[in-house]
Amino acid sequence: MAPSSRAQTRKLPWYLRPFKWLLWFVAISIAWVLVYVVVPPPVTLTMLTDGNGITKDWEGLSRIDRNMVRAVIAAEDGKFCSHDGFDREAIEEAIERNAKGKRMRGGSTISQQTAKNVFLWQGSGWTRYVRKVPEVWFTFLIEKIWGKRRIMEVYLNVAETGIGTYGVEAGAQRYFKHGADRLTPREAARIAAILPLPKKREAISPSGFTRRYGNTITARIGQVRRDGLDGCVYK
């Protein structure tokens, strides 16, 4: 049999090709997540598409003040240590709220936000909904492969904390002129308060909602500490 004939017999039927592509995607995504178990993500799609440049400085979790961990748990994901990557109650509440035409509010956990920030894109409109399928997959992977401590460490280093600023170390230097290793509860709360809209909110001398929200987070930090809601990060 001629070589060309053998190549034709080995070629997959068209209806099986999507399964081949899916297997490649699964293999590559698992390998990608495994690499980031020990290697800091060097850059993300969000950073690459940021026209304001990139200011970042990776810090291990042991060099980030515990107040910062407690602040993001208080602000973003109070069930971080108890869910499997998805807060189903928050998702259902978000769906109900959005269905009633109220202000759009997501139900994403810190794990979901980390998966999105590291492996995917931010998106708006219909592209945001397209992203949700791979976001679920990557969230599942990092929960199973990384664990809570690594998820928190990566999140705090890739989250946008200001215009062209990424990670809490760069944010602390920008706003408070010192490292993330000695953030006070109020400073950590102010950084956490701007995370949803880092290009529009200001951690220095905030006013209005941002100031009130920061004060609320400051108070919640004590609750996170008392209830051990950050225990999975430090066990």
Side-chain angles (χ1 to χ4, degrees):
M1 184 179 293
S4 60
S5 299
R6 289 199 300 269
Q8 288 178 356
T9 56
R10 288 198 300 267
K11 191 173 182 180
L12 282 175
W14 66 268
Y15 53 84
L16 291 179
R17 291 173 197 168
F19 295 100
K20 179 181 178 181
W21 300 333
L22 179 60
L23 287 174
W24 272 110
F25 170 75
V26 170
I28 292 171
S29 60
I30 291 175
W32 198 0
V33 171
L34 283 170
V35 168
Y36 285 169
V37 169
V38 293
V39 177
V43 72
T44 67
L45 186 59
T46 302
M47 295 176 189
L48 291 174
T49 56
D50 191 335
N52 300 292
I54 305 172
T55 300
K56 64 184 182 73
D57 188 1
W58 180 277
E59 286 289 353
L61 196 63
S62 61
R63 292 182 57 82
I64 297 175
D65 197 287
R66 196 160 177 165
N67 283 320
M68 191 68 247
V69 173
R70 289 168 175 160
V72 295
I73 290 176
E76 301 284 305
D77 189 358
K79 299 178 183 177
F80 178 68
C81 283
S82 59
H83 62 58
D84 59 357
F86 307 94
D87 186 344
R88 290 159 182 80
E89 183 178 350
I91 292 172
E92 290 173 1
E93 290 177 357
I95 292 173
E96 291 178 5
R97 181 180 179 86
N98 297 339
K100 293 177 182 178
K102 297 182 179 180
R103 185 171 64 87
M104 293 291 288
R105 179 179 297 174
S108 294
T109 63
I110 286 175
S111 301
Q112 288 176 271
Q113 292 177 51
T114 304
K116 174 190 67 178
N117 290 341
V118 174
F119 302 103
L120 303 168
W121 63 93
Q122 300 299 317
S124 60
W126 66 269
T127 62
R128 180 173 56 184
Y129 298 103
V130 172
R131 186 196 69 219
K132 286 298 180 181
V133 174
E135 181 182 302
V136 169
W137 169 243
F138 277 108
T139 300
F140 169 79
L141 285 182
I142 64 176
E143 279 280 340
K144 296 300 182 182
I145 297 175
W146 289 2
K148 297 292 187 180
R149 181 178 175 86
R150 181 60 172 174
I151 290 172
M152 179 62 72
E153 182 174 55
V154 173
Y155 174 72
L156 292 177
N157 276 283
V158 302
E160 189 176 7
T161 52
I163 297 175
T165 307
Y166 293 87
V168 297
E169 173 64 21
Q173 294 288 352
R174 171 176 179 155
Y175 300 120
F176 308 116
K177 311 305 179 187
H178 62 72
D181 59 332
R182 52 190 181 97
L183 288 165
T184 67
R186 183 176 294 276
E187 289 170 343
R190 287 188 173 180
I191 292 177
I194 67 173
L195 287 178
L197 294 169
K199 287 184 171 66
K200 297 181 178 180
R201 296 179 181 175
E202 182 58 55
I204 297 296
S205 301
S207 60
F209 172 81
T210 305
R211 183 181 185 85
R212 294 193 300 273
Y213 188 34
N215 291 340
T216 299
I217 296 171
T218 302
R220 289 177 181 171
I221 287 175
Q223 180 182 351
V224 172
R225 182 185 67 252
R226 289 191 301 272
D227 295 346
L229 300 182
D230 60 341
C232 64
V233 179
Y234 297 101
K235 66 180 180 180

